[in-house]
Amino acid sequence: MEQWIAAAIGLLVGALCGFAAARIGKRKGYIGNLRLDQSDPNEAPYLFLELDPDGMKKIYGRKTVALHVRIEDFIPRK
């Protein structure tokens, strides 16, 4: 019985550590923002890529990149 409890505790601790490591890894990987602008509701949204100051250096040599998504309208709706 003690082996089952120890195994359950080990799985729980392992899952929590894995989740924490994944969150830390994702946080460091962002290179900028992808801003969506829907100021004109009759047109498709405009997309703007806003890189961090060192964003271009981070892009080279990578197959994938991560961006923060911000939905902001340049012209506020009335």
Side-chain angles (χ1 to χ4, degrees), residues 41-61:
N42 297 326
E43 293 185 18
Y46 290 98
L47 301 174
F48 298 94
L49 177 62
E50 301 169 344
L51 294 177
D52 292 340
D54 60 342
M56 285 302 293
K57 291 179 186 175
K58 292 180 181 178
I59 289 176
Y60 291 116

Side-chain angles (χ1 to χ4, degrees), residues 24-56:
I24 291 169
K26 284 185 178 182
R27 193 176 328 151
K28 292 182 180 178
Y30 292 111
I31 62 160
N33 299 312
L34 178 66
R35 187 166 56 87
L36 283 78
D37 184 351
Q38 292 181 315
S39 297
D40 189 356
N42 297 326
E43 293 185 18
Y46 290 98
L47 301 174
F48 298 94
L49 177 62
E50 301 169 344
L51 294 177
D52 292 340
D54 60 342
M56 285 302 293

Side-chain angles (χ1 to χ4, degrees), residues 2 6 11 18 21-22 24 32 43 45 54 60 67 74-75 77:
E2 293 85 18
L11 286 173
I24 291 169
E43 293 185 18
D54 60 342
Y60 291 116
L67 299 167
F74 185 70
I75 302 171
R77 294 184 189 183

